[in-house]
Structures are given as C-alpha cells and as structure tokens.
Amino acid sequence: MRQSVTANRVSHGAFLNSQTNFTAAAAKLLEKKKEYDAVSALERATALYLERIEGLSEDCNVMADAGEAHGQVLEQWPKMFRILSLFLATRNCQGIETDNQESDSALVEGQRLVRIPIEELQQASSTIR
C-alpha cells in the first residue's frame, strides 16, 4: 500500500490561519508603535513644560528678591524724612538765633549732613579746565 501524501502537505487552511495571525500581529505591532510614539511625544512635551515652569520659578524668585529690595528702600523713607525735618529745624533755629547772619552756614551744614563736598568738586573741575 502506498502512503498518503496528504499528511506531509501543508493544508490550505493552515496557510490562511498563519496569514491571519501575521496580519493580526502586524496590526498589533502598528498599534503599539503608535502608542509608543504618543508616549514619546507626551514625554517630550512634559520635559518642555517642566523647563518652562522652572523658568517661571526663577522669574518668581527674582521678583521676590526685587520686592524685598523695594521694601527695604521704602522702609528707609520715614528715616530720610525725619533726617530732613531735623535739618530744616536746625536751619530754622539758627536763622532765629542769628537774625542778621546769612544762611550760608546753614547750607554748609546741610552739605556736611549729607556729606557732599560740592565746593571741592567745583574747585577741582575749575582747575582742570
């Protein structure tokens, strides 16, 4: 008796079944690739977002430091007005005591109060010219 050849042959149904499996696997691979691309894009967008937020954080720190500096300057204004009022009171008192004296001495005291040597600077600039 002769052996059957059909046992060694790949059936047509098995071929269609493997091709269907290949198509399903390719579709699944394509889906996973799209998912990976989307996750990669999300990761890049998140990194850019984090970079921008860190930049905003640095800007906020700079603004906080500037606010602190402004507060320190504003804190000094009452002291400056007090010094100026003391200077004006001193100048007015000297004007009453010395009725006939000129107010040049008060101006000199004002220059000494804020320590700006205007006369020396004027003399130095006139000798340079």
Side-chain angles (χ1 to χ4, degrees):
M1 224 174 138
R2 195 175 112 183
Q3 281 188 331
S4 171
V5 201
T6 58
N8 294 333
R9 267 196 238 166
V10 177
S11 69
H12 184 67
F15 178 72
L16 286 177
N17 191 17
S18 67
Q19 189 173 6
T20 305
N21 286 342
F22 176 75
T23 307
K28 190 171 183 178
L29 178 66
L30 185 62
E31 181 183 334
K32 292 294 181 181
K33 184 181 182 315
K34 286 180 182 178
E35 184 179 334
Y36 175 77
D37 291 342
V39 169
S40 295
L42 180 63
E43 186 177 357
R44 286 190 303 272
T46 303
L48 288 173
Y49 183 70
L50 176 65
E51 188 177 315
R52 289 178 180 170
I53 293 296
E54 286 174 347
L56 286 173
S57 171
E58 290 174 16
D59 290 345
C60 287
N61 288 336
V62 168
M63 288 191 310
D65 292 342
E68 188 175 321
H70 285 213
Q72 290 172 352
V73 168
L74 290 174
E75 183 181 353
Q76 298 300 317
W77 278 108
K79 294 175 185 175
M80 179 58 89
F81 287 129
R82 186 174 47 85
I83 291 170
L84 288 173
S85 67
L86 288 173
F87 169 69
L88 291 174
T90 305
R91 189 172 85 178
N92 288 339
C93 288
Q94 285 180 354
I96 293 172
E97 290 174 3
T98 56
D99 291 334
N100 295 332
Q101 282 186 343
E102 295 179 14
S103 62
D104 291 338
S105 63
L107 291 176
V108 173
E109 279 188 35
Q111 290 172 359
R112 277 191 240 136
L113 179 66
V114 291
R115 301 186 196 286
I116 299 175
I118 293 176
E119 295 168 351
E120 293 174 11
L121 292 173
Q122 288 174 346
Q123 289 173 357
S125 67
S126 64
T127 56
I128 293 174
R129 292 180 188 170

